[in-house]
Amino acid sequence: MVRCVLEEMRIRSLGVIDDAVVELSPGFTAVTGETGAGKTMVVTSLGLLLGGRADPALVRIGAKSAVVEGRIAVPAGASAVLRAEEAGAELDDGALLISRTVSAEGRSRAHLGGRSVPVGLLSELADDLVAVHGQTDQQGLLKPARQRAALDRYAGDAVALPLTKYTAAYRRLRAVTTEVEEITTRARERAQEADLLRFGLDEIAGVEPRAGEDTELAAEAERLGHAEALASAATSAHAALAGNPEDPEGIDASALVAGASRALETVRSHDPALSALADRLGEIGILLGDVAGELAGYADDLDADPLRLAAVEERRAALTQLTRKYGADIDAVLAWAEEGAARLAELEGDDDRLGDLTAERDALRAELAGHAQALTDARQEAASRFAAAVTEELASLAMPHARVSIDISNTEVPEGADGVEVGGRTVAYGPAGVDEVELLLAPHPGAPARPIAKGASGGELSRVMLAVEVVFAGTDPVPTYLFDEVDAGVGGKAAVEIGRRLARLAKSAQVVVVTHLPQVAAFADRQLLVEKTNDGMVTRSGVQVLEGEDRVRELSRMLAGQEDSETARAHAEELLATARGDG
């Protein structure tokens, strides 16, 4: 089966590494070296490539930035390829190139297939490409929430489907419960708000304003307040245009224009230009007549009634009372009234709404209880299979008498407390169901099954972690597994068995192990030695692929601390022979 393979990484100015290339095997690669040589920088580098947090303290002193570049061979159609191509990345001869730069000031940049991308995209790809495990992951496995997540991952769709239904019902229940609590706790505030809205709406309804009425009344008040002056001006203007009946000898504009028209009428046929001017004078005469008529009508219609003015001012005062409270003008007041009426209807419907919500909440609790029971049943079925599979793996890791079991329980809550009824009991619930999952270990016959946090030594915990990951590999395979000293606290025969099991895992996935155990390193398809130079830096030549005599020397050093010890060399050669024989 074609799968993703991390072929190599180039690391520059990261920690103690100046410039080094790490070439990995598609099978099992062991990374070894003395303490402080920079082995864990391999893990750190891969973490950066896959969207890990960028720590400027990782940048080598004196360097402006640290750079990690990786080359991952990917089969066409892989989900990682599709995500990368969506981001505009291009493959390089069937490989995906990833780079991450971390500046000494803390800035971080990511590139994928030659295209600058958000760091978050690298994190997305990590889910499909690599499973990273170190001693911190072992500590994480001690947490019940992580153990439940591990069981759910193993169960697959059997748990995922009821969990999806449960989660949807849980979210709706939380939303409905929050709304019920809000309506209940804010009942007094909402009643006060309703009273204020009723008062305002009654006040507006009592005045009965019309849209734009304030503007119309302002114009009318202005006109009525100056009625005498307006009438006098209109009369004078009319007399100037059409003459004053009381002064027959007076000269007006209409008469003058008429005289001018008559003067031109007799000669206009002799010159087109003069004829055009005569036409324009005729038009002026018509306009003067129209304006004079409108002025006469305006003066006659002008209402100077003081009673009307008083009524207008009284109405304006009533409207002003509204605009002071509810809006800048009457249109805004009417808009407030419309919104207020809708809000009041909502508030007055709270009792009905509360009843509906309470009924929905009770129905959701019943629905949630059903989904929770289905989820518990699925987890219990998967737990027995998961525990049996991990127990079987532990037998291959020099723990033949160990037994792993999974305890699934829940917590009963007092009467009246928030809970759901499952199996005739009211129990606490959360976003992942009602189950509390705990991984138990009985390391030998007769020993009680205890939580792995209390029942497992450091070496046993390492093997339990490896066994769990191997079981996962059979159900939800990841292309590359990276273990950072997951064999801590292990030695002797157990270390040999861990090396043997990692080699088996490498037949179906790429495995990279940072280790200090020669029993583990001997089973690797490729062993890399991380070595400092005299100035304390790891250079390009500081990461070597060990073969033949060089590998025997390194295994001898790991066994006895002496490369030239004949006893250590014999033991190293025996380890290699054992590993080859298993292969």
Side-chain angles (χ1 to χ4, degrees):
M1 179 180 65
V2 180
R3 50 186 170 85
C4 299
V5 173
L6 177 61
E7 295 180 331
E8 69 175 26
M9 291 190 298
R10 183 175 183 184
I11 309 167
R12 287 178 287 176
S13 301
L14 185 71
V16 299
I17 297 181
D18 177 24
D19 188 348
V21 175
V22 180
E23 299 178 355
L24 301 171
S25 164
F28 181 5
T29 301
V31 181
T32 64
E34 294 185 356
T35 300
K39 299 188 300 297
T40 56
M41 286 298 103
V42 175
V43 180
T44 301
S45 299
L46 186 56
L48 287 172
L49 279 183
L50 297 173
R53 187 177 67 88
D55 185 354
L58 295 172
V59 180
R60 186 168 60 83
I61 296 175
K64 294 182 179 179
S65 61
V67 180
V68 181
E69 299 169 318
R71 180 181 179 88
I72 301 178
V74 287
S79 57
V81 174
L82 298 178
R83 289 189 187 186
E85 289 178 341
E86 287 174 1
E90 296 182 358
L91 297 183
D92 178 31
D93 194 20
L96 194 58
L97 303 182
I98 304 176
S99 71
R100 183 84 180 275
T101 302
V102 180
S103 73
E105 291 78 24
R107 293 188 303 275
S108 172
R109 297 195 307 275
H111 289 81
L112 181 65
R115 178 66 60 90
S116 177
V117 296
V119 173
L121 179 59
L122 302 187
S123 299
E124 290 182 31
L125 295 177
D127 295 337
D128 296 325
L129 295 176
V130 178
V132 180
H133 294 289
Q135 295 185 55
T136 56
D137 298 277
Q138 294 181 32
Q139 298 303 314
L141 190 63
L142 302 181
K143 300 176 182 178
R146 286 285 298 275
Q147 294 177 20
R148 182 177 58 206
L151 176 61
D152 289 353
R153 175 184 163 195
Y154 173 79
D157 287 345
V159 164
L161 295 178
L163 181 58
T164 298
K165 296 177 181 178
Y166 176 92
T167 301
Y170 174 83
R171 289 175 179 168
R172 179 57 187 163
L173 176 60
R174 299 315 303 164
V176 169
T177 301
T178 299
E179 193 169 354
V180 168
E181 291 173 352
E182 180 184 355
I183 292 175
T184 303
T185 57
R186 292 188 57 207
R188 179 178 298 177
E189 295 176 22
R190 296 167 80 91
Q192 292 173 346
E193 183 184 357
D195 285 343
L196 289 174
L197 287 171
R198 288 192 196 94
F199 177 82
L201 291 170
D202 289 345
E203 188 174 13
I204 294 171
V207 175
E208 295 183 338
R210 293 182 294 101
E213 184 180 3
D214 50 345
T215 303
E216 296 173 6
L217 289 176
E220 185 176 1
E222 182 73 12
R223 186 170 64 253
L224 291 173
H226 299 85
E228 291 184 5
L230 292 172
S232 176
T235 300
S236 298
H238 178 270
L241 294 178
N244 187 344
E246 298 179 359
D247 183 16
E249 300 298 328
I251 301 174
D252 58 81
S254 295
L256 292 173
V257 170
S261 293
R262 286 193 299 272
L264 297 178
E265 190 64 32
T266 58
V267 297
R268 62 183 296 170
S269 60
H270 302 305
D271 187 352
L274 191 63
S275 178
L277 293 173
D279 290 340
R280 290 169 64 186
L281 278 174
E283 294 171 0
I284 292 171
I286 293 172
L287 289 173
L288 286 174
D290 290 343
V291 173
E294 290 181 16
L295 286 170
Y298 175 84
D300 292 340
D301 294 340
L302 194 62
D303 187 0
D305 184 0
L307 294 179
R308 174 58 187 167
L309 178 59
V312 168
E313 293 297 351
E314 183 179 355
R315 179 64 176 173
R316 291 185 71 201
L319 296 179
T320 299
Q321 289 293 327
L322 299 181
T323 56
R324 285 175 180 171
K325 296 180 182 180
Y326 308 112
D329 53 30
I330 289 301
D331 287 349
V333 170
L334 293 172
W336 182 91
E338 183 178 356
E339 294 173 3
R343 176 61 175 162
L344 182 59
E346 178 184 336
L347 293 173
E348 289 177 337
D350 272 355
D351 290 340
D352 294 337
R353 176 68 176 155
L354 184 59
D356 293 341
L357 287 172
T358 302
E360 184 181 1
R361 181 186 62 186
D362 293 342
L364 283 168
R365 283 187 189 280
E367 180 185 347
L368 197 69
H371 293 321
Q373 184 64 64
L375 194 53
T376 298
D377 293 343
R379 282 175 173 153
Q380 287 176 339
E381 190 280 329
S384 61
R385 291 188 292 109
F386 183 66
V390 174
T391 297
E392 183 178 350
E393 281 300 323
L394 288 177
S396 301
L397 296 173
M399 294 178 67
H401 304 298
R403 293 292 178 269
V404 169
S405 59
I406 297 179
D407 179 53
I408 299 179
S409 61
N410 46 49
T411 301
E412 192 165 359
V413 298
E415 186 176 353
D418 186 25
V420 295
E421 187 173 335
V422 177
R425 300 165 58 242
T426 302
V427 298
Y429 66 98
V434 300
D435 303 316
E436 298 169 12
V437 176
E438 192 160 36
L439 195 62
L440 307 178
L441 174 69
H444 52 80
R450 303 177 64 194
I452 58 173
K454 301 176 181 178
S457 65
E460 289 170 340
L461 182 58
S462 295
R463 281 175 278 176
V464 170
M465 180 67 187
L466 177 57
V468 167
E469 196 55 62
V470 170
V471 170
F472 282 153
T475 58
D476 183 21
V478 174
T480 299
Y481 292 93
L482 176 61
F483 294 96
D484 181 16
E485 298 194 8
V486 73
D487 50 16
V490 179
K493 182 179 179 182
V496 172
E497 294 302 330
I498 286 181
R500 182 175 283 119
R501 199 63 192 87
L502 288 169
R504 291 178 189 170
L505 179 60
K507 294 184 182 301
S508 60
Q510 183 180 33
V511 176
V512 181
V513 179
V514 177
T515 183
H516 64 283
L517 292 181
Q519 296 94 330
V520 172
F523 281 88
D525 299 309
R526 175 176 296 172
Q527 183 172 349
L528 301 179
L529 173 63
V530 181
E531 196 173 32
K532 287 183 182 179
T533 57
N534 292 333
D535 62 359
M537 290 293 109
V538 176
T539 63
R540 176 182 290 272
S541 60
V543 179
Q544 302 177 38
V545 177
L546 299 180
E547 295 178 349
E549 180 63 23
D550 291 336
R551 189 170 186 186
V552 173
R553 285 174 59 83
E554 171 61 7
L555 290 175
S556 299
R557 182 200 63 77
M558 296 172 72
L559 283 164
Q562 301 176 4
E563 297 92 334
D564 299 324
S565 166
E566 290 299 325
T567 301
R569 286 177 57 83
H571 193 182
E573 290 172 349
E574 182 181 356
L575 280 176
L576 288 171
T578 299
R580 294 190 188 103
D582 281 14

